[in-house]
Amino acid sequence: MTVRTVGSHEVEVSHEGKVFYPGSGITKGDVIDYYEKVAGTILPHIRGRPISMERFPDGIQGESFYQKEIPDYFPPWIHRVSIPYHGKGTSQFQVVCNSPETLVYLADQGCITLHTWLSCEGHLTRPDRMVLDLDPPGNDFEPVRAVALQVRDLLEQVGLRPSVMTTGSRGVHVVVPLTPTLEFDRVRTFAGSVAGVLAERHPDTITDEIRKEKRGGRVFIDTLRNAYGATAVPPYAVRARPGAPVAAPITWEELEGPGIQSRSFTIRNLFDRLERKGDLWKGFHGHGQSLEEVIGNLRKKK
């Protein structure tokens, strides 16, 4: 066990040599190092948001589990927020990752991926981002590329300015920053309408069918993440996939080219990209958009 001074706290880390990614030799220590180094870039995208921890104590080939409620043994300096259960009269505390020392502590706990809420403290029931998750039927990225551009075009037609991010898994997220004025139900309804319009326009390649057996080899536009308590992978989070890929914002021009795949960026090459391009989503939530102003525009597209 060693002690790292991170931010304003000392954080004990252990078993840094344990291989978390067999085949690439990436260790637990490498994941901790990544999160410590990327802290200044990732924190603006996750600060203030409750998280669900995806933990792999023995690496990606070992047992894993999701954990929402903060364990009793987590140190008191880790920020947490009380989450009410709607309609149940109870609540639980969840981690809110606001500091580099929290990132390092979570990585030491085997939390490879942080999944964040689409809303923040202060307005937990009102999201400040809308996410359309494009899920391909297989591992071929090309169908996702084409559908993402169609999603972009429709959102732009109704007056929104969407951005796109590789997920580090199989697909991409098309994301719109919002002014947090509408409740989750209305945002999810709007997102579902977007998916429905596109599924009607392109029935051979796009589906909004939740049941996998009915998708028929088409790209699924998943809008279910736009719900109270649901989560999405934030930019720069590490994924539990071979090679330690990370989610990363990209430009629409990059998506149109052949070089980008969902797992193009990893903990080993991400910093080269940041050095060349910086954080493409810097100030992302300073550009929130109003859905109220465009809902009527979408109705005209049906």
Side-chain angles (χ1 to χ4, degrees), residues 11-172:
V11 183
E12 292 183 349
V13 297
S14 62
H15 307 295
E16 293 181 67
K18 181 184 290 186
V19 175
F20 265 23
Y21 289 83
S24 58
I26 293 172
T27 65
K28 177 182 179 182
D30 293 328
V31 175
I32 295 172
D33 290 343
Y34 169 81
Y35 274 120
E36 184 173 3
K37 187 175 180 180
V38 84
T41 305
I42 191 176
L43 283 172
H45 301 290
I46 64 177
R47 186 177 287 118
R49 301 178 186 277
I51 67 169
S52 177
M53 299 172 282
E54 187 178 8
R55 297 177 62 179
F56 296 80
D58 295 308
I60 66 170
Q61 291 187 355
E63 293 186 6
S64 65
F65 58 96
Y66 283 88
Q67 188 169 22
K68 292 185 176 181
E69 188 168 13
I70 186 171
D72 293 337
Y73 59 84
F74 273 34
W77 49 259
I78 289 183
H79 188 59
R80 60 207 70 194
V81 63
S82 179
I83 306 295
Y85 288 119
H86 280 182
K88 296 183 179 180
T90 58
S91 62
Q92 70 178 12
F93 283 97
Q94 289 186 219
V95 170
V96 177
C97 188
N98 289 344
S99 67
E101 52 263 47
T102 302
L103 276 173
V104 169
Y105 183 87
L106 294 179
D108 181 63
Q109 296 297 311
C111 178
I112 290 179
T113 310
L114 300 80
H115 300 263
T116 57
W117 280 41
L118 277 63
S119 59
C120 289
E121 282 186 281
H123 53 85
L124 287 176
T125 64
R126 302 189 306 275
D128 58 9
R129 62 179 69 166
M130 179 180 70
V131 174
L132 285 79
D133 179 10
L134 276 54
D135 185 16
N139 293 318
D140 186 1
F141 188 72
E142 292 310 308
V144 171
R145 195 189 313 276
V147 171
L149 295 172
Q150 292 164 336
V151 172
R152 176 200 64 184
D153 291 346
L154 177 57
L155 291 175
E156 288 182 344
Q157 287 168 19
V158 301
L160 294 172
R161 299 180 303 279
S163 298
V164 65
M165 176 187 82
T166 63
T167 64
S169 181
R170 296 191 307 155
V172 300

Side-chain angles (χ1 to χ4, degrees), residues 195 199 202 205-209 214-215 218-222:
H202 310 281
T205 56
I206 297 175
T207 181
D208 58 355
E209 176 59 60
K214 291 195 172 184
R215 294 179 191 170
R218 295 168 291 178
V219 173
F220 172 49
I221 302 180
D222 183 358

